[in-house]
Amino acid sequence: MKLSKEVIKKGMYLSGISNIAGVLVFSRFFTNKTINETDPVTMSNFGLLMIAVWGLVFLAVAKKWENLRWVIGVFVIEKFIYGLTWTKWILNNDLSSVYKKDTMAGIFYTIYGPNDWLFCVFYLCVFINLSTLEKKNR
């Protein structure tokens, strides 16, 4: 899928903002213990902080993405890992019990996986576009 430069830049900003705002809002600035307890390995406060840091990286790259094909490739891998982690979690856990404990945590666990899968596909499209462009310029 061919994406315009402006769509790619806006997508990267949206990706970064969703990582940062999603973590800060739904974790209530790292005070929502239900998120931590529900998946203590991936969603510890350290894990949540690293998700926000990835958001900062997405924002930092948004203006220079055209020269960073392999960095975009890393973004595909990062989003794939989080998407796969969520998929495994959702298949083996009861989301309704999370909602019963804390609605914000329930919403977080409802949306974080689809969000990561969406941006995995987005970054894959950007990576493919850059790879195609590089082959044409040889």
Side-chain angles (χ1 to χ4, degrees):
M1 172 193 318
K2 183 82 170 117
L3 302 172
S4 73
K5 292 178 181 184
E6 195 59 30
V7 166
I8 291 171
K9 186 167 69 171
K10 287 179 181 179
M12 294 182 119
Y13 282 130
L14 183 59
S15 175
I17 291 166
S18 70
N19 267 41
I20 297 164
V23 163
L24 294 178
V25 169
F26 292 108
S27 75
R28 295 186 192 97
F29 289 83
F30 306 103
T31 64
N32 188 334
K33 296 300 175 201
T34 303
I35 289 177
N36 306 138
E37 293 164 359
T38 300
D39 186 352
V41 173
T42 308
M43 297 303 167
S44 64
N45 277 343
F46 177 78
L48 293 171
L49 178 62
M50 290 301 98
I51 291 169
V53 168
W54 273 106
L56 292 172
V57 174
F58 301 143
L59 294 176
V61 168
K63 289 185 179 180
K64 299 179 185 342
W65 63 269
E66 292 177 88
N67 301 315
L68 301 170
R69 177 171 60 125
W70 291 109
V71 173
I72 302 299
V74 171
F75 292 174
V76 174
I77 294 166
E78 185 269 346
K79 291 298 183 184
F80 178 82
I81 290 169
Y82 275 97
L84 184 62
T85 299
W86 174 84
T87 300
K88 289 172 66 176
W89 184 89
I90 206 79
L91 291 173
N92 294 300
N93 292 277
D94 178 24
L95 187 57
S96 65
S97 68
V98 180
Y99 274 96
K100 287 177 187 171
K101 291 178 188 174
D102 183 90
T103 301
M104 293 291 276
I107 294 169
F108 176 82
Y109 279 97
T110 298
I111 64 174
Y112 105 73
N115 180 71
D116 282 321
W117 282 121
L118 171 73
F119 283 109
C120 178
V121 171
F122 168 75
Y123 284 119
L124 180 60
C125 289
V126 175
F127 181 80
I128 291 169
N129 284 343
L130 287 171
S131 297
T132 303
L133 184 63
E134 187 176 290
K135 284 181 184 178
K136 286 181 184 177
N137 291 334
R138 284 186 192 169

